[in-house]
Amino acid sequence: MLLLRRTALIILWVLAGLGVASGAVWALTSAGVIKPLIVISGSMEPDIMTGDLLIATKTEAADLATGDVVSLDSHLTSNLVTHRIARIVPVGDGSFTVTMKGDNNEFEDALDYTISGEVWKPAMQIAGAGAFVARLTTPAVAIPLMIGLIALLGITLLLPAGAARD
């Protein structure tokens, strides 16, 4: 029984560490410091693959250049689109007109983007992590994980620490 309790405690400590890391990501996301993005299409392959997780940070629009990969709000899809800048033209009032194109797309995006201030620019890419995170958040996976967590807590709380020594 002692081995079962110790194993459960080790697993709980690992999960607690993952929980703290998740909380830090949530706090940074809520504060607007980072924006985790799951890649849902192959438009940027082979550099950015479907299912990758991108961690975007804010960058000044004035610092962008042709060839940069950015994530901009699309008026066409009402979602963020992560593509490479094909052209960037200053408008004059601190804003820019940006034409983007996916690396794997034959044509440029249908609409140009007007940007100013700060925009999201991917700073880190974690291969395959987006698909993993998306899968973890589905009810078919999240509910059994929660049941397992409750079972681990039960093992550690219901089995007394000195039970195996008596």
Side-chain angles (χ1 to χ4, degrees), residues 8 10 19 22 36 45 100 155 158:
I10 290 169
S22 295
E45 291 181 1
M100 296 202 311
I155 289 170
L158 295 178

Side-chain angles (χ1 to χ4, degrees), residues 84-166:
R84 193 171 306 280
I85 295 175
R87 269 186 315 283
I88 184 164
V89 179
V91 175
D93 59 351
S95 61
F96 301 85
T97 300
V98 176
T99 303
M100 296 202 311
K101 179 183 176 296
D103 291 351
N104 200 26
N105 291 349
E106 188 176 344
F107 302 104
E108 295 172 344
D109 293 1
L111 299 175
D112 287 340
Y113 304 81
T114 302
I115 60 169
S116 62
E118 296 179 323
V119 298
W120 294 108
K121 183 177 182 182
M124 183 172 35
Q125 177 180 350
I126 306 169
F132 178 74
V133 168
R135 183 73 177 143
L136 276 179
T137 60
T138 63
V141 175
I143 291 171
L145 285 176
M146 290 303 293
I147 291 170
L149 179 63
I150 292 168
L152 285 171
L153 283 170
I155 289 170
T156 60
L157 295 175
L158 295 178
L159 292 178
R165 288 184 232 143
D166 294 338

Side-chain angles (χ1 to χ4, degrees), residues 3-86:
L3 179 63
L4 179 63
R5 185 175 192 280
R6 284 187 178 167
T7 303
L9 278 171
I10 290 169
I11 293 170
L12 281 173
W13 276 108
V14 169
L15 291 175
L18 291 172
V20 168
S22 295
V25 169
W26 174 82
L28 290 171
T29 302
S30 295
V33 175
I34 65 169
K35 186 171 209 64
L37 303 167
I38 297 174
V39 180
I40 60 171
S41 80
S43 65
M44 288 298 291
E45 291 181 1
D47 288 341
I48 301 174
M49 302 296 288
T50 303
D52 285 356
L53 178 66
L54 302 176
I55 306 298
T57 57
K58 290 182 179 178
T59 189
E60 290 292 327
D63 295 337
L64 297 176
T66 300
D68 287 345
V69 175
V70 293
S71 300
L72 302 177
D73 286 311
S74 169
H75 295 294
L76 192 61
T77 64
S78 298
N79 290 318
L80 284 177
V81 174
T82 302
H83 282 166
R84 193 171 306 280
I85 295 175

